[in-house]
Amino acid sequence: MIKKIEDFNSVFFIGVAGVGMSAIAQYLKGIGKKVSGSDRYFHADEFNKTREQLENEGIECFVQDGSGITEKTDLIVVSTAIEDTVFEVKKAKELGIPIIKRSELLAIIAESKKTIAVAGTSGKSTTSAMLYQILLDAKLNPSIISGAGLTSIIKTGKIGNAAVGKGDWLIIEADESDGSIVQYQPEIGLLLNIDKDHQEIEELQDLFTIFKNNTKGLFVVNQSNTLAKELSANATNDFGFETNIAGYSAENFQQNGLELTFEVKGQKFQMNSLGQHSVENATAAIAVANQIGVDLETCAESLEKYEGIYRRHQILGKKNGVWVIDDYAHNPAKCAASIKACQPLAKKVIAWFQPHGYGPTRFLKDDFIKEISEALRPEDEIWMSEIFYAGGTAVKDISANDLIEGIKNTGKNAHFIEDRNNLLKALQPELKEGTLLLLMGARDPSLELFCKNIFENL
């Protein structure tokens, strides 16, 4: 039975190229474990960027044929997407090698450090990255296991979603979507928000309540989010957006082009970012950092240098008078916030969205229609392409066009373009100077290249 990080040395990841899996793999390699893995996207004699980056870190990669699993393997790690029918899982069972889920391993790692767990239905990766940057600049040498690559780390040629520091603090994301959030017992728990995502609100509230109760020490809550506020433990340590609490309120927020400014406890902050939600994320990071001894001036100096994370309002550039921005938004609240954040930059926002998963899209259909419709100004537009299907046994009884028709019924400009490869041709007449094109979607590994191609061929 694997209960502590000392209980294994040689670990194999099935699905190692996934963003959550690769982060843990890199972290374990960084602390001296023998790490290897396979992925369905790895093929013989075919270049794969993630594979190359992992191998550059000393992580041996294999095609998903079982060849990487041997009697010397101490532990097998699988994500929630890996089914028991996968050949490598069967082989591991035949060899009697312990198999655990990614979230179980992350909980074991978290117990080995002083952990800050960032939770909420939106903003976990961004807030984790901001907090990591602050603690790094404060010379606390933190570690991070993230759900997205930090631009500052990506620039060094790495995937960017993990780093090992010599200090005491480890920053992780506590994921509610698979229920794994209940496994973590952090020294500090941070709750950003509660909005409908893959579960009903009542179920989410139950999960976050357990998370709160499991937190060993400080629990920090966003007072600006109505549902999160109900779990507030101590308003003195909480944060919010222009609230009257005796905590960390973000005040005097202004968006000037790609720069935003605000104040917390009289300290002025300036960042290259977009939207009120970015200010809330930053204030959360500031609140936690200040509570563990980082002064507000250091927080401000750090956030002014913060470079963002992969595919979170990532500005691809401006061409022919048109800004193009790539964003990971994928649930109703995130899509709405992303659209609103872009509106100060342009007279007209044209947003494109590719939903993922038939089940999640069906579950959130009415919320997508409501949130996106309310976010759009009369001059804005929303375009959607068909739902991304990652495989499995999903019932395909809903289309992205159902969302579009619902938005049309609210009187907003909405268009369906089934094949996204036809998107740019259809959009060209609309992309006039002063327009901003926002591209949104998640879980599809080809989205990064798709968005870059859109910009390059604009």
Side-chain angles (χ1 to χ4, degrees), residues 129-257:
M130 290 176 176
L131 182 55
Y132 172 77
Q133 187 65 53
I134 292 172
L135 300 190
L136 192 66
D137 291 336
K139 311 299 183 187
L140 293 180
N141 295 311
S143 299
I144 186 170
I145 296 174
S146 175
L150 282 66
T151 301
S152 58
I153 303 177
I154 291 172
K155 282 183 172 180
T156 67
K158 301 175 184 290
I159 297 173
N161 53 354
V164 176
K166 295 180 180 179
D168 295 332
W169 291 106
L170 166 67
I171 302 163
I172 68 168
E173 295 180 34
D175 190 7
E176 80 291 338
S177 66
D178 59 1
S180 62
I181 188 172
V182 302
Q183 299 179 64
Y184 309 118
Q185 298 181 338
E187 274 69 28
I188 298 177
L190 172 58
L191 178 56
L192 299 170
N193 41 56
I194 303 176
D195 297 299
K196 189 174 179 181
D197 199 339
H198 296 289
Q199 300 109 311
E200 294 289 356
I201 290 295
E202 294 77 12
E203 184 180 353
L204 287 170
Q205 287 176 308
D206 289 343
L207 291 172
F208 288 123
T209 298
I210 295 171
F211 172 64
K212 171 188 173 181
N213 293 337
N214 284 347
T215 298
K216 299 172 185 175
L218 184 67
F219 190 69
V220 184
V221 177
N222 184 1
Q223 294 275 315
S224 301
N225 183 270
T226 303
L227 293 175
K229 185 177 180 178
E230 294 177 7
L231 294 181
S232 180
N234 183 348
T236 302
N237 298 324
D238 291 341
F239 66 99
F241 189 85
E242 294 191 354
T243 61
N244 295 318
I245 60 170
Y248 296 79
S249 301
E251 299 171 339
N252 301 325
F253 163 59
Q254 288 188 332
Q255 179 85 52
N256 300 303

Side-chain angles (χ1 to χ4, degrees), residues 8 25 34 61 100 123 162 198 211 215 251 303 342 355 395 400 423 432:
F8 66 91
K34 185 180 187 305
C61 295
I100 63 174
H198 296 289
F211 172 64
T215 298
E251 299 171 339
L303 289 177
C342 291
V395 178
L423 177 67
K432 300 172 183 176

Side-chain angles (χ1 to χ4, degrees), residues 221-445:
V221 177
N222 184 1
Q223 294 275 315
S224 301
N225 183 270
T226 303
L227 293 175
K229 185 177 180 178
E230 294 177 7
L231 294 181
S232 180
N234 183 348
T236 302
N237 298 324
D238 291 341
F239 66 99
F241 189 85
E242 294 191 354
T243 61
N244 295 318
I245 60 170
Y248 296 79
S249 301
E251 299 171 339
N252 301 325
F253 163 59
Q254 288 188 332
Q255 179 85 52
N256 300 303
L258 301 175
E259 179 184 277
L260 55 80
T261 57
F262 60 99
E263 294 179 17
V264 175
K265 290 184 176 288
Q267 174 67 52
K268 293 183 178 180
F269 288 83
Q270 176 181 314
M271 294 176 58
N272 291 318
S273 193
L274 297 174
Q276 177 179 320
H277 66 288
S278 295
V279 175
E280 291 189 25
N281 293 336
T283 308
I286 293 163
V288 172
N290 193 228
Q291 283 293 303
I292 60 176
V294 181
D295 62 80
L296 294 179
E297 186 177 355
T298 299
C299 292
E301 291 172 354
S302 180
L303 289 177
E304 189 170 356
K305 297 183 294 182
Y306 172 68
E307 297 181 77
I309 58 175
Y310 170 74
R311 292 200 65 236
R312 268 58 168 190
H313 274 136
Q314 188 171 357
I315 298 167
L316 299 183
K318 189 176 187 180
K319 188 181 288 188
N320 303 323
V322 178
W323 283 107
V324 182
I325 293 179
D326 178 16
D327 193 47
Y328 192 76
H330 60 278
N331 71 21
K334 290 177 182 176
C335 288
S338 188
I339 292 168
K340 290 176 183 177
C342 291
Q343 287 168 342
L345 297 180
K347 297 176 182 177
K348 179 177 182 177
V349 172
I350 297 177
W352 171 83
F353 175 49
Q354 177 183 270
H356 72 267
Y358 288 88
T361 304
R362 187 188 315 110
F363 178 66
L364 295 168
K365 175 188 171 186
D366 293 341
D367 300 275
F368 271 123
I369 293 170
K370 178 179 183 294
E371 295 275 2
I372 292 176
S373 297
E374 292 178 354
L376 293 171
R377 300 171 298 186
E379 61 271 26
D380 295 335
E381 299 180 11
I382 179 70
W383 292 64
M384 291 189 196
S385 295
E386 197 50 279
I387 298 165
F388 172 67
Y389 173 57
T393 55
V395 178
K396 300 179 182 179
D397 59 353
I398 187 169
S399 167
N401 193 38
D402 295 324
L403 277 60
I404 289 297
E405 290 300 320
I407 295 170
K408 278 184 183 178
N409 290 337
T410 70
K412 297 301 173 69
N413 300 313
H415 310 273
F416 179 61
I417 187 93
E418 182 176 4
D419 184 349
R420 71 184 190 187
N421 293 317
N422 299 323
L423 177 67
L424 185 56
K425 183 178 180 182
L427 282 180
Q428 284 287 12
E430 307 294 325
L431 297 175
K432 300 172 183 176
E433 187 169 348
T435 299
L436 185 147
L437 177 59
L438 171 64
L439 305 167
M440 301 182 292
R443 308 293 168 88
D444 177 355

